[in-house]
């Protein structure tokens, strides 16, 4: 090794911990094809296509006019914390105090703060797979070890009590739950959470991070439950994470929050105080309006999402070689493409993996999806149906036509 590579400018060793995203290849290919004039339908974006409700935007304008444009308390204004405490009480039946609430720049920062505040080198975090792409990298960056537990379609993509028990070691620090899930839309019922809670009660050193970001986007009357409410004895070691991004179509406002034990909330504020300080003052005022305002728009939007879910679900299940479970919530489908593996494209190349399937789908059908390998479970792929019904209809038609050509 020469001197320059030892002493010259180079990224930190911790960068080796971060995996290059498996979605990069698909994004690059989409962009190339778009530049070449192709009409690519992107179904990879995890963001509602609705606008932020008017009353929330008005509250943000009023906050700016009233001079709420300065630093705030690091982990949230008292008004927002009050609104969050009321939300947890009203919607989840969990009683948190002011010093048990943390607000960050998106749910992502809240999760990140929690890992940085708690993980020592080698601490293990149990992550049921398929998982939201950011969890393992966040854990690695914080010095922890992601322990992924495969939860296949046969278990409805949900962690079972037996697999949880098998995955726990003396080094386990956290279990992450995400319900309804990105990427599958599968949700844990109160009864499922009860069976996981029974295992967790036997292991007092394990904490639970529950990512409830999609709580309000749910279908067919499915009832949302969260573990600190199902088993109050776990409340002191549970971080209940939520945010306004998905339910209120506020992805760009960057507000996420959590309720948890005060020692953890305090440590998370210390981390945040040395990175971004407080989340945007204007966005916090908007989040107060979101959490204290009307929720009637949710039913209308969920009805639109549900119709789109059914459109795509029926579409996938009528294509020979694909099969898809019905999601309880969120705005994703996670079909299995096991029946397509080994088939041949018209150019004679064979499809060996879900990554090959996604590449072929974009080349042949002009539809961009994310391969299941990005979420830690193969052979599947994820689509987001948070896009216009017209685009979804066109995408499903293209996918069906392309799949009929595979031999
Ligand atoms: N958790 C899950 C499961 C998500 O899908 C996302 C966003 O895609 C987040 C957390 C982060 O949300 P936010 O926009 O609040 O950072």
């Amino acid at each position: 090794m020469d001197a320059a590579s030892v002493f010259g400018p180079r990224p930190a060793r911790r960068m080796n911990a971060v995996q290059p995203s498996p979605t990069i290849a698909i994004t690059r290919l989409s962009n190339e094809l778009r530049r070449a004039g192709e009409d690519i339908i992107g179904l990879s974006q995890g963001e509602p296509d609705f606008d932020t409700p008017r009353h929330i935007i008005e509250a943000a304008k009023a906050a700016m006019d009233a001079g709420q444009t300065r630093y705030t308390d690091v982990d949230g204004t008292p008004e927002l914390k009050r609104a969050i405490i009321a939300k947890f009480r009203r919607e989840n039946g969990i009683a948190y105090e002011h010093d048990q609430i943390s607000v960050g720049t998106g749910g992502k920062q809240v999760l990140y703060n929690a890992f940085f505040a708690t993980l020592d080198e080698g601490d293990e975090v149990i992550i049921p797979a398929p998982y939201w792409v950011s969890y393992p990298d966040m854990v690695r960056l914080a010095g922890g070890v992601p322990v992924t537990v495969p939860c296949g379609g046969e278990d409805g993509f949900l962690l079972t009590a037996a697999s949880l028990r098998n995955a726990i070691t003396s080094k386990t620090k956290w279990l992450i739950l995400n319900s309804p899930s990105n990427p599958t839309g599968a949700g844990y019922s109160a009864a499922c959470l009860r069976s996981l809670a029974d295992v967790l009660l036997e292991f007092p050193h394990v904490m639970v991070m529950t990512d409830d970001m999609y709580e309000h986007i749910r279908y067919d009357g499915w009832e949302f439950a969260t573990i600190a409410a199902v088993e109050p004895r776990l409340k002191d070691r549970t971080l209940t994470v939520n945010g306004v991004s998905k339910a209120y179509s506020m992805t760009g406002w960057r507000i996420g929050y959590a309720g948890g034990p005060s020692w953890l909330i305090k440590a998370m504020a210390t981390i945040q105080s040395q990175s971004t300080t407080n989340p945007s003052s204007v966005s916090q005022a908007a989040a107060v309006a979101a959490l204290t305002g009307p929720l009637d728009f949710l039913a209308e939007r969920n009805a639109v999402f549900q119709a789109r879910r059914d459109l795509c679900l029926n579409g996938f299940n009528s294509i020979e070689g694909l099969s898809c479970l019905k999601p309880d919530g969120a705005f994703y489908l996670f079909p299995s493409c096991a029946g397509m593996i080994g088939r041949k494209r018209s150019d004679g190349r064979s499809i060996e993996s879900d990554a090959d399937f996604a590449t072929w789908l974009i080349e042949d059908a002009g539809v961009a999806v994310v391969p299941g390998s990005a979420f830690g479970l193969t052979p599947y792929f994820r689509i987001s149906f948070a896009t216009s019904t017209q685009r979804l209809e066109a995408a499903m038609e293209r996918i069906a036509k392309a799949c009929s050509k595979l031999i």
Side-chain angles (χ1 to χ4, degrees):
M1 194 179 283
D2 63 25
S5 59
V6 176
F7 299 109
R10 57 168 179 79
R13 268 187 290 278
R14 94 171 59 80
M15 292 308 295
N16 299 333
V18 189
Q19 310 277 316
S21 165
T23 59
I24 286 177
I26 293 292
T27 311
R28 195 182 301 128
L29 190 54
S30 297
N31 292 341
E32 260 170 37
L33 292 169
R34 277 199 184 104
R35 273 196 297 275
E38 302 269 340
D39 171 29
I40 303 297
I41 304 180
L43 301 183
S44 49
Q45 188 84 320
E47 149 168 91
D49 57 324
F50 298 117
D51 292 331
T52 301
R54 203 69 231 161
H55 68 279
I56 299 175
I57 292 178
E58 293 305 330
K61 286 185 187 166
M64 282 189 274
D65 288 339
Q68 290 180 36
T69 52
R70 297 176 182 274
Y71 291 131
T72 69
D73 290 352
V74 166
D75 64 354
T77 60
E79 296 74 28
L80 182 50
K81 287 194 176 189
R82 268 198 298 278
I84 293 167
I85 290 169
K87 177 261 180 270
F88 276 130
R89 214 180 266 273
R90 183 180 67 240
E91 295 177 355
N92 308 113
I94 312 175
Y96 287 118
E97 302 293 331
H98 189 92
D99 65 350
Q100 295 179 312
I101 298 295
S102 182
V103 184
T105 300
K108 201 175 224 173
Q109 187 182 30
V110 172
L111 296 162
Y112 202 84
N113 288 342
F115 288 132
F116 270 76
T118 54
L119 291 179
D120 285 317
E121 209 62 37
D123 281 347
E124 294 175 359
V125 178
I126 298 175
I127 307 179
Y131 45 71
W132 180 45
V133 286
S134 293
Y135 298 142
D137 283 338
M138 282 190 196
V139 168
R140 285 190 202 98
L141 279 172
V145 179
V147 175
T148 54
V149 180
C151 303
E154 60 289 357
D155 290 319
F157 301 119
L158 297 175
L159 180 68
T160 62
S163 336
L164 171 61
R165 185 185 296 279
N166 275 341
I168 294 175
T169 72
S170 59
K171 290 189 178 162
T172 307
K173 195 86 177 230
W174 288 101
L175 159 69
I176 301 186
L177 294 174
N178 172 216
S179 168
S181 142
N182 176 3
T184 65
Y188 287 86
S189 65
C192 286
L193 291 176
R194 175 75 263 154
S195 65
L196 297 180
D198 287 340
V199 175
L200 291 163
L201 286 172
E202 293 174 38
F203 299 95
H205 66 290
V206 180
M207 298 193 291
V208 190
M209 200 177 294
T210 170
D211 179 343
D212 298 348
M213 200 55 75
Y214 294 92
E215 168 181 10
H216 283 293
I217 302 174
R218 49 190 197 229
Y219 311 116
D220 308 318
W222 179 76
E223 281 186 29
F224 173 81
T226 192
I227 198 157
V230 168
E231 178 43 88
R233 282 176 292 174
L234 291 177
K235 184 184 161 214
D236 284 349
R237 50 184 167 114
T238 297
L239 188 70
T240 307
V241 182
N242 213 315
V244 295
S245 292
K246 312 288 175 172
Y248 301 90
S249 301
M250 291 176 71
T251 44
W253 298 76
R254 312 305 304 128
I255 296 291
Y257 58 86
S262 54
W263 67 266
L264 172 59
I265 296 296
K266 196 169 159 205
M268 288 163 62
T270 304
I271 299 285
Q272 188 164 299
S273 72
Q274 298 301 4
S275 56
T276 55
T277 313
N278 59 277
S280 148
S281 57
V282 176
S283 295
Q284 290 190 73
V288 172
L291 294 175
T292 57
L295 285 180
D296 44 341
F297 67 93
L298 276 178
E300 282 162 34
R301 292 181 177 190
N302 282 349
V304 175
F305 277 143
Q306 184 164 328
R308 292 176 184 171
R309 176 201 66 170
D310 292 342
L311 166 81
C312 299
L313 185 69
N314 295 337
F316 285 127
N317 282 332
S318 59
I319 297 173
E320 194 270 317
L322 297 181
S323 63
C324 187
L325 293 183
K326 192 191 256 190
D328 302 306
F331 36 66
Y332 307 101
L333 289 173
F334 199 62
S336 160
C337 54
M340 297 298 185
I341 306 300
R343 294 196 188 180
K344 289 229 164 13
R345 307 163 32 134
S346 49
D347 61 6
R349 281 156 62 193
S350 99
I351 295 193
E352 301 291 350
S353 64
D354 54 21
D356 285 354
F357 182 76
T359 305
W360 165 78
L361 212 50
I362 192 166
E363 286 173 354
D364 196 276
V367 178
V369 303
V370 187
S373 43
F375 309 97
L377 199 73
T378 60
Y380 292 88
F381 62 98
R382 188 195 78 174
I383 69 141
S384 157
F385 52 84
T387 192
S388 80
T389 307
Q390 207 190 353
R391 291 296 271 172
L392 287 172
E393 277 165 355
M396 292 313 301
E397 235 170 74
R398 289 187 191 186
I399 294 173
K401 193 166 160 218
C403 286
S404 69
K405 290 189 290 183
L406 284 178
I407 42 170

